[in-house]
Each structure stands twice: as C-alpha cells, then as structure tokens.
C-alpha cells in the first residue's frame, strides 16, 4: 500500500456543518472540524465563503461572512450540531429560521425524561 500524504488530503477536505444557534439553523463550510479541547464542543476552523466576484450575492451568506469575520476558531456546543458532512465542493453558506413546527424540534439525548412514566389511570 502507498502511504497517504496527509497534507494533500487535508487541503482538499471540506466539511459542511449544520447547527442550531439562537433559534436559527446555520449551514457553514470549513476546512477543519474536530472535537477540540473544550469538553462538549465541536471546534470549527477555516471557514469558507463564496467569492466576492460572484454576480449574485446571497444576503444570508453575507450575514454569515460578517458574523464570522475575524474568527479563527469557533466552538459550537455538541448538542447544537445537527450534522457534519465531508463534501467534495463547497456550497452556499446560509442561515434558515426555525418555523416552530414539531419537525424542527430536536430532542436531546433522544430518551424519555427521567422518572417513571405516568399510567393512564393516574
């Protein structure tokens, strides 16, 4: 087997990270995603945004670009992360408001609340 060149592989990786922040769903693209040093947080580094030379400018992406301007590393709480995908090419970063529908509720950790379930006769 040939040895894997870590530098070339690492440069080509792009991650799409989807997480909830202040009632909105953020979808960002980054070069590095890891567990990080802070317990319970996902570390996101190397944010990638679209080119400024694009004819059509997405206001949502511009808002994200402004929000993360000057941020070298972002620590997102693990329970806020919806999904992390390794993708071949970057898409458009965006912010989407939660509609308040039941489908938007993400249970954590996905179990019943502590205590005994009530019987219907109670």
């Amino acid at each position: 087997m040939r040895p894997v060149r870590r530098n070339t592989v690492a440069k080509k990786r792009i991650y799409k990270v989807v997480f909830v922040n202040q009632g909105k769903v953020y979808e960002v693209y980054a070069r590095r995603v890891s567990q990080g040093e802070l317990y319970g947080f996902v570390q996101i580094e190397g944010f990638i945004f679209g080119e400024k030379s694009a004819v059509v400018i997405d206001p949502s992406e511009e808002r994200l670009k402004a929000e993360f301007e000057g941020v070298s590393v972002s620590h997102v709480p693990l329970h806020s992360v919806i999904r992390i995908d390794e993708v071949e090419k970057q898409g458009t970063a965006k912010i989407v408001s939660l509609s308040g529908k039941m489908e938007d509720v993400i249970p954590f950790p996905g179990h019943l609340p502590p205590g005994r379930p009530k019987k219907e006769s109670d």
Side-chain angles (χ1 to χ4, degrees), residues 2-62:
R2 293 186 308 173
V4 176
R5 289 183 176 170
R6 295 202 185 272
N7 290 340
T8 33
V9 173
K11 286 182 183 178
K12 293 182 180 182
R13 287 190 178 166
I14 297 175
Y15 296 96
K16 178 173 83 170
V17 184
V18 182
F19 62 94
V20 177
N21 181 33
Q22 298 178 355
K24 294 181 171 63
V25 177
Y26 282 56
E27 185 175 305
V28 297
Y29 292 84
R31 296 267 179 218
R32 289 173 299 286
V33 177
S34 62
Q35 184 173 346
E37 297 175 5
L38 296 174
Y39 181 75
F41 286 82
V42 172
Q43 183 172 307
I44 305 171
E45 299 178 72
F47 290 97
I48 305 169
F49 296 102
E51 298 295 319
K52 285 190 173 188
S53 63
V55 177
V56 179
I57 297 174
D58 184 2
S60 180
E61 184 174 35
E62 289 300 313

Side-chain angles (χ1 to χ4, degrees), residues 64-106:
L64 272 170
K65 192 184 284 190
E67 184 172 339
F68 289 103
E69 183 177 7
V71 176
S72 57
V73 178
S74 185
H75 301 275
V76 176
L78 182 60
H79 65 273
S80 296
V81 175
I82 297 171
R83 184 177 181 145
I84 300 172
D85 294 325
E86 186 174 335
V87 296
E88 291 182 15
K89 60 182 182 176
Q90 126 191 24
T92 305
K94 58 187 166 189
I95 302 173
V96 180
S97 293
L98 290 173
S99 66
K101 295 178 185 173
M102 194 60 180
E103 300 88 49
D104 292 336
V105 177
I106 303 164

